[in-house]
Amino acid sequence: MAEGSAELEQFRRCWREELAGGAKRRRREAAAAAQQPPAEPGSRRGAEQAEPGYLALARGLLDGGAPPAPARRSPSPARPAEEPAGDGGGDGDDLLGQLIRDLNEINEVPFFDVQLPYELALKIFQYLGKTELGRCAQVSRTWKALAEDEVLWYRLCQQEGYLLDMSISDHACWKLALKNCRTRERTLKTNWKNRIGAVSQLRYELGKILCDVHSCDGVVIAGYTSGEVRLWDTRTWDYTAPILEAMHGPGDAGPRPHVSFVRINSSLAVAAYEDGTISIWNLMFGREPIHHYQHNQRIQALALGSEGAVVATASGFEVKVESPDDRGFWQTTATFDIQKLVNFLNLVPDVVGSPVAVAAAEDIVYLLKAEDPGKILHSVYGQPVTCLDVSAHEAAFGVKNFGWLLNEPNQILLYNLETSQCLKKMGNSIGDFTCVNLQNSPPNMLVTGNKDRRVRVFDLRKSESLCSLYAHQLGVSAVQMDDWKIISGGEEGLVCVWDQRMGTKLWEMHARHPVRHVWFNSHSLITANIPDEKSLPGTSITDDDLTVHHKYRGIIYAYEFSADQLAVESVLPICRSSYDEVTGYNYNIGLAVPYDNI
């Protein structure tokens, strides 16, 4: 307020100087006119003797009061018919609307060209929105040039969340860029609702059975029972799947162990194997791992930081955190001893300094910090934790209560990670909460899935359920939401897309196995159906017959709803086959000779 008052006083002081200069100029012109013959009545020179209307307007504004009503003039042919005649200003009119109406009465005076510097006028216009700028552009040519300044529309584009990584020099017309972004957003929303777009199956038969899937910004990582780890980059619409090589020792001549967990972020990929081995790859440095370490027992949980290079693993009664030092050499940052076996493990995002992890071990939730290694966030005997998710400042997890003993339903608990206090208790369900998504939900929102077949959305400010959707016959296994839609996956293999505000199902997609992974952004969707059984029925796991029981291997679906991709139809897997593969089977027919890209 102080800065705005100072600018207003400076504006009034400059304006007074302009008015004083204009008064001296009029006195000189009046003295010169007195020496000339008198003008005819009604001529323009006689009209100039009176005080111009814009000066009365200026004095009224400088005094801080309402401007005087201008004298009535004959209607001008250039004046639009819909413009109100006279001042027409009520008590609630703002200064800008009053100025526009008064300047229409004095349309021969270029207001901002004379009295106000362009930079100060631009400072005033930056507080206007798109609609107000469009109306100002209709006042005059000067106002049109001011209202369409690139600085104003670049700021509006940034405020609405479009093209945040661009500078003002990257576009010649930011008004058109904002219009194109809004049009594309409407098109994407329509495509989502009507299931318009391209879909592809990310299937790798040589990997045997799918074990785990994770994705980040359209890059998908998958681990298989053959021990292979594959990547797909769906952003380029090129589904060539490179293999990430594991670290092999001199005695590793036999079959490789199964992949237990895989994780990926913008720079790293991590895989955990059945024998307790952890391999870490840098996505920029090729297929060879940059770090490798071993646990003595089977790995029960794996976590990778959403940004940066931090990996946490839980094996037995130990949680280990690995990260590189300042020189890039990986080392063990912290080791924590846990009283029970860990079921869920998450790293807290956006932490400055030492990494912070949250681990759920049966009925105890730990907050693992290097300075306070054994801190217990929540512990109630006989009430196990069924799901867990964390954000930068909060942790949400589901608790299973034995209703027939304590007469309490199952709930979602929300804890503050800084104060370690329970903030909210939400939900009253007889079924177990199987999944919760806090980090990727809109602010003050949380979405959960339950064994009672329902998806629930909670408002964290009121601890109330905003909507409850009857979704899946065998329970909900994965869920994610944004500001208008919800994607849920079930144990029966069904993926449902919901309109959150209407509470209606838009469309659904079914596959054979339970949905274990769901991820989406504004224009793409990744889902993974992973079988619970890791061996093929009727055949051995070492069988090389690739045509047997393909339906038991699991599948990954990639949807693309972008308007730019609609011209590219869903390319069949046979057309994406690599001609350097000589083995042919019914899901990826390799060709022996090169062919053109179709």
Side-chain angles (χ1 to χ4, degrees), residues 397-426:
F397 48 89
V399 175
K400 180 178 181 180
N401 296 318
F402 295 100
W404 56 88
L405 294 178
L406 303 178
N407 197 22
E408 291 185 8
N410 299 322
Q411 292 181 322
I412 292 288
L413 304 184
L414 182 69
Y415 272 77
N416 188 298
L417 297 179
E418 298 177 357
T419 62
S420 302
Q421 298 295 321
C422 181
L423 302 177
K424 305 288 183 182
K425 292 184 178 181
M426 298 166 289

Side-chain angles (χ1 to χ4, degrees), residues 40 60 65 93 108 112 117 134 155 170 222 290 320 332 343 353 366 392 401 419 423 470 475 478 507 513 520 536:
E40 298 180 1
D93 289 347
E108 72 272 16
F112 282 115
R155 181 180 287 110
D170 292 336
I290 61 173
K320 182 182 293 187
T332 302
N343 306 109
Y366 294 90
N401 296 318
T419 62
L423 302 177
Y470 187 85
W507 50 273
H513 304 288
F520 69 88
L536 297 176

